[in-house]
Short mmCIF file of all heavy atoms in Angstrom, two decimals:
data_model
loop_
_atom_site.label_atom_id
_atom_site.label_comp_id
_atom_site.label_asym_id
_atom_site.label_seq_id
_atom_site.Cartn_x
_atom_site.Cartn_y
_atom_site.Cartn_z
N PHE A 22 6.12 103.72 -43.16
CA PHE A 22 5.55 102.39 -43.29
C PHE A 22 4.12 102.35 -42.75
O PHE A 22 3.87 102.87 -41.67
CB PHE A 22 6.39 101.36 -42.53
CG PHE A 22 7.87 101.46 -42.78
CD1 PHE A 22 8.70 101.99 -41.79
CD2 PHE A 22 8.42 101.10 -43.99
CE1 PHE A 22 10.06 102.11 -42.00
CE2 PHE A 22 9.77 101.22 -44.21
CZ PHE A 22 10.60 101.73 -43.23
N PRO A 23 3.21 101.68 -43.47
CA PRO A 23 1.84 101.56 -42.98
C PRO A 23 1.53 100.15 -42.44
O PRO A 23 0.38 99.88 -42.09
CB PRO A 23 1.03 101.79 -44.27
CG PRO A 23 1.89 101.16 -45.34
CD PRO A 23 3.32 101.38 -44.91
N TYR A 24 2.52 99.28 -42.38
CA TYR A 24 2.25 97.86 -42.30
C TYR A 24 1.75 97.35 -40.94
O TYR A 24 1.34 96.19 -40.82
CB TYR A 24 3.48 97.07 -42.74
CG TYR A 24 3.99 97.54 -44.09
CD1 TYR A 24 5.22 98.18 -44.23
CD2 TYR A 24 3.19 97.38 -45.23
CE1 TYR A 24 5.66 98.64 -45.46
CE2 TYR A 24 3.62 97.84 -46.47
CZ TYR A 24 4.86 98.47 -46.59
OH TYR A 24 5.27 98.92 -47.80
N GLU A 25 1.77 98.21 -39.93
CA GLU A 25 1.22 97.80 -38.63
C GLU A 25 -0.32 97.88 -38.62
O GLU A 25 -0.95 97.40 -37.69
CB GLU A 25 1.75 98.71 -37.53
CG GLU A 25 3.23 98.57 -37.26
CD GLU A 25 3.70 99.45 -36.12
OE1 GLU A 25 2.84 99.98 -35.39
OE2 GLU A 25 4.93 99.61 -35.95
N TYR A 26 -0.88 98.44 -39.67
CA TYR A 26 -2.33 98.66 -39.72
C TYR A 26 -2.90 97.97 -40.96
O TYR A 26 -2.24 97.93 -42.00
CB TYR A 26 -2.65 100.17 -39.78
CG TYR A 26 -2.04 100.92 -38.62
CD1 TYR A 26 -0.74 101.44 -38.71
CD2 TYR A 26 -2.73 101.11 -37.44
CE1 TYR A 26 -0.18 102.11 -37.64
CE2 TYR A 26 -2.19 101.77 -36.37
CZ TYR A 26 -0.88 102.27 -36.49
OH TYR A 26 -0.33 102.92 -35.42
N PRO A 27 -4.11 97.44 -40.89
CA PRO A 27 -4.72 96.83 -42.07
C PRO A 27 -4.81 97.83 -43.22
O PRO A 27 -5.09 99.02 -42.99
CB PRO A 27 -6.12 96.43 -41.58
CG PRO A 27 -5.96 96.26 -40.10
CD PRO A 27 -4.98 97.30 -39.69
N SER A 28 -4.55 97.39 -44.42
CA SER A 28 -4.54 98.30 -45.55
C SER A 28 -5.87 99.02 -45.73
O SER A 28 -5.91 100.19 -46.12
CB SER A 28 -4.18 97.53 -46.83
OG SER A 28 -5.10 96.48 -47.09
N GLU A 29 -6.96 98.32 -45.40
CA GLU A 29 -8.27 98.96 -45.56
C GLU A 29 -8.43 100.15 -44.62
O GLU A 29 -9.01 101.17 -44.99
CB GLU A 29 -9.38 97.93 -45.31
CG GLU A 29 -9.43 96.78 -46.28
CD GLU A 29 -8.47 95.65 -45.94
OE1 GLU A 29 -7.72 95.79 -44.93
OE2 GLU A 29 -8.46 94.65 -46.67
N GLN A 30 -7.90 100.02 -43.38
CA GLN A 30 -7.99 101.13 -42.44
C GLN A 30 -7.17 102.33 -42.90
O GLN A 30 -7.58 103.47 -42.75
CB GLN A 30 -7.52 100.68 -41.05
CG GLN A 30 -8.45 99.72 -40.36
CD GLN A 30 -7.99 99.40 -38.95
OE1 GLN A 30 -7.15 100.10 -38.36
NE2 GLN A 30 -8.56 98.35 -38.36
N VAL A 31 -6.00 102.06 -43.44
CA VAL A 31 -5.16 103.15 -43.97
C VAL A 31 -5.87 103.86 -45.13
O VAL A 31 -5.93 105.08 -45.19
CB VAL A 31 -3.78 102.62 -44.40
CG1 VAL A 31 -2.96 103.75 -45.00
CG2 VAL A 31 -3.06 102.00 -43.22
N GLY A 32 -6.45 103.07 -46.01
CA GLY A 32 -7.19 103.65 -47.13
C GLY A 32 -8.37 104.49 -46.69
O GLY A 32 -8.63 105.58 -47.23
N LEU A 33 -9.09 104.02 -45.68
CA LEU A 33 -10.24 104.77 -45.17
C LEU A 33 -9.81 106.08 -44.50
O LEU A 33 -10.45 107.12 -44.66
CB LEU A 33 -11.03 103.92 -44.19
CG LEU A 33 -11.87 102.78 -44.80
CD1 LEU A 33 -12.42 101.87 -43.71
CD2 LEU A 33 -13.02 103.36 -45.65
N ALA A 34 -8.72 106.03 -43.75
CA ALA A 34 -8.21 107.25 -43.09
C ALA A 34 -7.77 108.26 -44.13
O ALA A 34 -8.03 109.48 -43.99
CB ALA A 34 -7.06 106.89 -42.17
N LEU A 35 -7.14 107.81 -45.18
CA LEU A 35 -6.71 108.69 -46.26
C LEU A 35 -7.93 109.33 -46.94
O LEU A 35 -7.98 110.56 -47.12
CB LEU A 35 -5.90 107.89 -47.27
CG LEU A 35 -5.28 108.66 -48.43
CD1 LEU A 35 -4.11 109.51 -47.96
CD2 LEU A 35 -4.82 107.69 -49.53
N ALA A 36 -8.90 108.51 -47.30
CA ALA A 36 -10.10 109.00 -47.97
C ALA A 36 -10.89 109.93 -47.05
O ALA A 36 -11.46 110.95 -47.50
CB ALA A 36 -10.97 107.85 -48.44
N GLY A 37 -10.92 109.60 -45.75
CA GLY A 37 -11.67 110.42 -44.80
C GLY A 37 -11.11 111.83 -44.69
O GLY A 37 -11.87 112.77 -44.40
N GLY A 38 -9.83 111.99 -44.94
CA GLY A 38 -9.22 113.30 -44.89
C GLY A 38 -9.23 114.01 -46.24
O GLY A 38 -8.76 115.14 -46.35
N GLY A 39 -9.73 113.29 -47.27
CA GLY A 39 -9.72 113.87 -48.62
C GLY A 39 -8.31 114.11 -49.13
O GLY A 39 -8.03 115.08 -49.83
N LEU A 40 -7.40 113.20 -48.77
CA LEU A 40 -5.97 113.39 -49.03
C LEU A 40 -5.48 112.47 -50.14
O LEU A 40 -6.08 111.43 -50.44
CB LEU A 40 -5.17 113.07 -47.77
CG LEU A 40 -5.42 113.96 -46.57
CD1 LEU A 40 -4.96 113.28 -45.29
CD2 LEU A 40 -4.71 115.30 -46.75
N GLU A 41 -4.36 112.87 -50.74
CA GLU A 41 -3.66 112.04 -51.72
C GLU A 41 -2.44 111.44 -51.06
O GLU A 41 -1.74 112.12 -50.31
CB GLU A 41 -3.28 112.89 -52.94
CG GLU A 41 -2.75 112.08 -54.09
CD GLU A 41 -2.62 112.90 -55.38
OE1 GLU A 41 -3.12 114.04 -55.41
OE2 GLU A 41 -2.01 112.38 -56.34
N GLN A 42 -2.17 110.18 -51.37
CA GLN A 42 -0.98 109.52 -50.84
C GLN A 42 0.18 109.77 -51.77
O GLN A 42 0.17 109.35 -52.92
CB GLN A 42 -1.21 108.02 -50.70
CG GLN A 42 -0.10 107.25 -50.02
CD GLN A 42 -0.02 107.55 -48.53
OE1 GLN A 42 -1.04 107.54 -47.84
NE2 GLN A 42 1.17 107.78 -48.04
N ALA A 43 1.22 110.44 -51.28
CA ALA A 43 2.35 110.80 -52.11
C ALA A 43 3.37 109.70 -52.20
O ALA A 43 3.99 109.50 -53.27
CB ALA A 43 3.01 112.07 -51.57
N LEU A 44 3.58 108.96 -51.09
CA LEU A 44 4.72 108.04 -51.03
C LEU A 44 4.65 107.21 -49.78
O LEU A 44 4.13 107.65 -48.74
CB LEU A 44 6.02 108.87 -50.99
CG LEU A 44 7.34 108.14 -50.74
CD1 LEU A 44 7.84 107.51 -52.04
CD2 LEU A 44 8.40 109.10 -50.20
N PHE A 45 5.17 105.99 -49.81
CA PHE A 45 5.61 105.27 -48.63
C PHE A 45 6.68 104.29 -49.05
O PHE A 45 7.00 104.15 -50.23
CB PHE A 45 4.46 104.61 -47.84
CG PHE A 45 3.63 103.60 -48.59
CD1 PHE A 45 4.02 102.28 -48.68
CD2 PHE A 45 2.42 103.96 -49.16
CE1 PHE A 45 3.24 101.34 -49.34
CE2 PHE A 45 1.63 103.03 -49.82
CZ PHE A 45 2.06 101.71 -49.92
N ASN A 46 7.26 103.58 -48.09
CA ASN A 46 8.40 102.69 -48.34
C ASN A 46 7.97 101.24 -48.47
O ASN A 46 7.03 100.79 -47.80
CB ASN A 46 9.41 102.78 -47.20
CG ASN A 46 10.06 104.15 -47.09
OD1 ASN A 46 9.96 104.98 -47.96
ND2 ASN A 46 10.74 104.38 -45.96
N LEU A 47 8.71 100.50 -49.25
CA LEU A 47 8.58 99.05 -49.23
C LEU A 47 8.99 98.52 -47.86
O LEU A 47 9.75 99.18 -47.13
CB LEU A 47 9.49 98.43 -50.30
CG LEU A 47 9.15 98.74 -51.77
CD1 LEU A 47 10.24 98.19 -52.68
CD2 LEU A 47 7.81 98.19 -52.16
N PRO A 48 8.55 97.34 -47.46
CA PRO A 48 8.97 96.80 -46.16
C PRO A 48 10.49 96.75 -46.04
O PRO A 48 11.19 96.34 -46.96
CB PRO A 48 8.37 95.38 -46.18
CG PRO A 48 7.15 95.53 -47.05
CD PRO A 48 7.57 96.47 -48.13
N PRO A 49 11.02 97.15 -44.85
CA PRO A 49 12.47 97.30 -44.69
C PRO A 49 13.18 96.14 -44.02
O PRO A 49 14.37 96.23 -43.74
CB PRO A 49 12.54 98.51 -43.78
CG PRO A 49 11.38 98.33 -42.85
CD PRO A 49 10.28 97.70 -43.69
N GLY A 50 12.46 95.04 -43.77
CA GLY A 50 13.03 94.00 -42.88
C GLY A 50 12.61 94.28 -41.46
O GLY A 50 11.57 94.88 -41.21
N ASP A 51 13.44 93.88 -40.50
CA ASP A 51 13.10 94.08 -39.09
C ASP A 51 13.64 95.44 -38.62
O ASP A 51 14.76 95.57 -38.17
CB ASP A 51 13.71 92.96 -38.26
CG ASP A 51 13.15 92.90 -36.85
OD1 ASP A 51 12.74 93.96 -36.34
OD2 ASP A 51 13.11 91.80 -36.27
N TRP A 52 12.79 96.44 -38.71
CA TRP A 52 13.15 97.81 -38.37
C TRP A 52 13.56 97.92 -36.90
O TRP A 52 14.53 98.60 -36.55
CB TRP A 52 11.98 98.74 -38.69
CG TRP A 52 12.27 100.19 -38.51
CD1 TRP A 52 12.07 100.95 -37.39
CD2 TRP A 52 12.79 101.09 -39.50
NE1 TRP A 52 12.44 102.26 -37.64
CE2 TRP A 52 12.89 102.38 -38.92
CE3 TRP A 52 13.20 100.92 -40.83
CZ2 TRP A 52 13.36 103.49 -39.61
CZ3 TRP A 52 13.64 102.04 -41.52
CH2 TRP A 52 13.75 103.30 -40.92
N ALA A 53 12.83 97.23 -36.03
CA ALA A 53 13.11 97.31 -34.59
C ALA A 53 14.50 96.78 -34.25
O ALA A 53 15.12 97.21 -33.28
CB ALA A 53 12.05 96.55 -33.81
N LYS A 54 15.00 95.87 -35.05
CA LYS A 54 16.34 95.32 -34.82
C LYS A 54 17.41 96.07 -35.61
O LYS A 54 18.56 95.64 -35.63
CB LYS A 54 16.36 93.84 -35.22
CG LYS A 54 15.55 92.96 -34.26
CD LYS A 54 15.69 91.49 -34.61
CE LYS A 54 14.95 90.62 -33.62
NZ LYS A 54 15.06 89.18 -33.97
N GLY A 55 17.03 97.18 -36.26
CA GLY A 55 18.02 98.01 -36.91
C GLY A 55 18.15 97.80 -38.41
O GLY A 55 18.98 98.46 -39.04
N GLU A 56 17.34 96.92 -38.97
CA GLU A 56 17.42 96.72 -40.43
C GLU A 56 16.82 97.92 -41.14
O GLU A 56 15.82 98.48 -40.70
CB GLU A 56 16.73 95.43 -40.83
CG GLU A 56 17.44 94.21 -40.33
CD GLU A 56 16.87 92.91 -40.85
OE1 GLU A 56 15.70 92.89 -41.30
OE2 GLU A 56 17.58 91.88 -40.81
N ARG A 57 17.43 98.29 -42.24
CA ARG A 57 17.00 99.46 -43.00
C ARG A 57 16.90 99.13 -44.49
O ARG A 57 17.38 99.83 -45.35
CB ARG A 57 17.98 100.62 -42.78
CG ARG A 57 18.02 101.15 -41.35
CD ARG A 57 16.69 101.71 -40.91
NE ARG A 57 16.68 102.27 -39.57
CZ ARG A 57 16.27 101.61 -38.48
NH1 ARG A 57 15.86 100.36 -38.57
NH2 ARG A 57 16.27 102.20 -37.28
N GLY A 58 16.22 98.03 -44.77
CA GLY A 58 16.06 97.58 -46.12
C GLY A 58 16.80 96.31 -46.43
O GLY A 58 17.69 95.90 -45.64
N MET A 59 16.46 95.67 -47.54
CA MET A 59 17.06 94.40 -47.93
C MET A 59 17.58 94.36 -49.35
O MET A 59 18.20 93.39 -49.77
CB MET A 59 15.99 93.28 -47.79
CG MET A 59 15.45 93.13 -46.38
SD MET A 59 14.02 92.01 -46.36
CE MET A 59 12.71 93.14 -46.93
N ALA A 60 17.38 95.43 -50.10
CA ALA A 60 17.59 95.38 -51.54
C ALA A 60 19.05 95.08 -51.91
O ALA A 60 19.32 94.49 -52.95
CB ALA A 60 17.16 96.70 -52.17
N ALA A 61 20.00 95.50 -51.10
CA ALA A 61 21.43 95.30 -51.41
C ALA A 61 22.04 94.17 -50.58
O ALA A 61 23.27 94.08 -50.52
CB ALA A 61 22.20 96.59 -51.19
N ILE A 62 21.24 93.33 -49.99
CA ILE A 62 21.73 92.29 -49.11
C ILE A 62 21.53 90.92 -49.77
O ILE A 62 20.40 90.45 -49.87
CB ILE A 62 21.04 92.35 -47.73
CG1 ILE A 62 21.24 93.72 -47.10
CG2 ILE A 62 21.59 91.25 -46.83
CD1 ILE A 62 20.58 93.91 -45.77
N PRO A 63 22.60 90.29 -50.22
CA PRO A 63 22.48 88.95 -50.82
C PRO A 63 21.84 87.97 -49.85
O PRO A 63 22.09 88.00 -48.65
CB PRO A 63 23.95 88.58 -51.12
CG PRO A 63 24.68 89.88 -51.21
CD PRO A 63 23.99 90.78 -50.21
N GLY A 64 20.99 87.12 -50.40
CA GLY A 64 20.34 86.10 -49.58
C GLY A 64 18.98 86.51 -49.05
O GLY A 64 18.29 85.67 -48.45
#
């Protein structure tokens, strides 16, 4: 997850390393409280 950082900063760090972004996850809910996604949770 990149969501703790502004998207522009993540993009700049990626470009600064000359790197390609392969993958990241959609927001998972409250990770700190143990949530691991919402896609299969009604409501």
